[in-house]
Amino acid sequence: MSEKKNWPLWEIFVRSKNGLEHRHFGSLHAADAEMALENARDVYTRRNEGVSIWVVESKHITASNPADNGELFEPAQDKVYRHPTFYDLPDEVKHM
């Protein structure tokens, strides 16, 4: 039982049948990647809604700090060419 306490934490990402991106579904402990995949399948895709599963050991994920979001995202505000404000859309174009 004490060995189980040392199992690494895995983050689970699942791609749904009608989606193109993998979404974070949750976390689980497993001894290795193969066990993490099998457990993720059993826990997060019981209703056959997924077509692909990614498992990533949590220690390999690097995340930004929300407190530093100004420094990280501020440079994007200087790039006005990323925003479609320089031309008029035809009336026929909706939802843009």
Side-chain angles (χ1 to χ4, degrees), residues 9-77:
L9 184 65
W10 297 82
E11 301 301 325
I12 311 304
F13 300 85
V14 178
R15 191 180 96 191
S16 65
K17 287 182 179 177
N18 49 349
L20 296 177
E21 73 282 348
H22 285 73
R23 288 189 13 218
H24 184 255
F25 267 49
S27 307
L28 54 80
H29 288 275
D32 57 25
E34 186 175 333
M35 178 189 265
L37 269 174
E38 291 173 4
N39 290 346
R41 179 200 60 214
D42 295 343
V43 172
Y44 296 110
T45 63
R46 289 180 288 199
R47 294 181 188 91
N48 200 22
E49 66 270 19
V51 295
S52 175
I53 301 173
W54 290 350
V55 296
V56 180
E57 198 170 345
S58 294
K59 71 179 184 180
H60 296 295
I61 294 177
T62 303
S64 63
N65 183 346
D68 299 332
N69 69 356
E71 295 173 16
L72 186 62
F73 297 109
E74 196 68 30
Q77 298 299 327

Side-chain angles (χ1 to χ4, degrees), residues 89-96:
L89 291 175
D91 292 335
E92 300 85 37
V93 176
K94 306 278 191 236
H95 309 293
M96 174 114 17

